[in-house]
Amino acid sequence: MRYKAPGNCPVCGEKLSITKLGCPKCHTSLEGDFEPCEFCRLPAEDLEFAKIFIKCRGNIKDVEKELGISYPTVRGKLDAVIRNLGFEVPSKEAARDNDFIKEAKEEILEQLSKGEISPKEATERIKKLNL
């Protein structure tokens, strides 16, 4: 059975390096200090999101449909992947996303008060916004 190599040290949290590589056919092995790919270090959830994002060619609407989540949730997950790859997420975009989440929550609550959606559906939608 093959396992996914951990990206961080379970003791101190530092990024791990690969020190040995082996060929399963001829059993040749190489020892050294090898750098894993950046995507290999992503948590499983981020890697899965990145695959879907690429499959959807970066179209956020398609990602929303594929995962059944809201626009702000897609943006939040994308921001998490960007951060976990070591890049900075511009704060202006984060502020804009927070405004969008606030507006979306207000819209959900308004639909609930008008009886257009059930309390259960309102709760589910708000939970999706906060992912």
Side-chain angles (χ1 to χ4, degrees), residues 37-49:
C37 76
E38 294 176 42
F39 288 91
C40 297
R41 292 187 189 270
L42 289 175
E45 185 179 321
D46 285 357
L47 185 58
E48 188 59 32
F49 175 81

Side-chain angles (χ1 to χ4, degrees), residues 21-110:
L21 299 171
C23 175
K25 183 177 179 184
C26 71
H27 304 289
T28 298
S29 63
L30 300 167
E31 290 192 32
D33 190 13
F34 305 100
E35 182 78 25
C37 76
E38 294 176 42
F39 288 91
C40 297
R41 292 187 189 270
L42 289 175
E45 185 179 321
D46 285 357
L47 185 58
E48 188 59 32
F49 175 81
K51 287 177 183 179
I52 291 169
F53 187 80
I54 291 167
K55 177 182 146 193
C56 293
R57 298 176 176 220
N59 184 309
I60 291 180
K61 290 283 184 194
D62 290 346
V63 176
E64 285 180 64
K65 288 177 191 170
E66 177 94 12
L67 295 175
I69 57 178
S70 66
Y71 173 86
T73 304
V74 172
R75 287 298 305 261
K77 288 181 176 290
L78 181 58
D79 287 348
V81 170
I82 292 168
R83 277 191 295 278
N84 285 330
L85 286 172
F87 300 108
E88 189 176 315
V89 176
S91 59
K92 184 177 181 181
E93 287 182 14
R96 188 174 42 199
D97 286 348
N98 287 338
D99 289 344
F100 185 87
I101 291 171
K102 184 179 175 184
E103 289 174 20
K105 284 181 181 178
E106 289 173 3
E107 183 179 326
I108 292 167
L109 292 173
E110 186 175 323

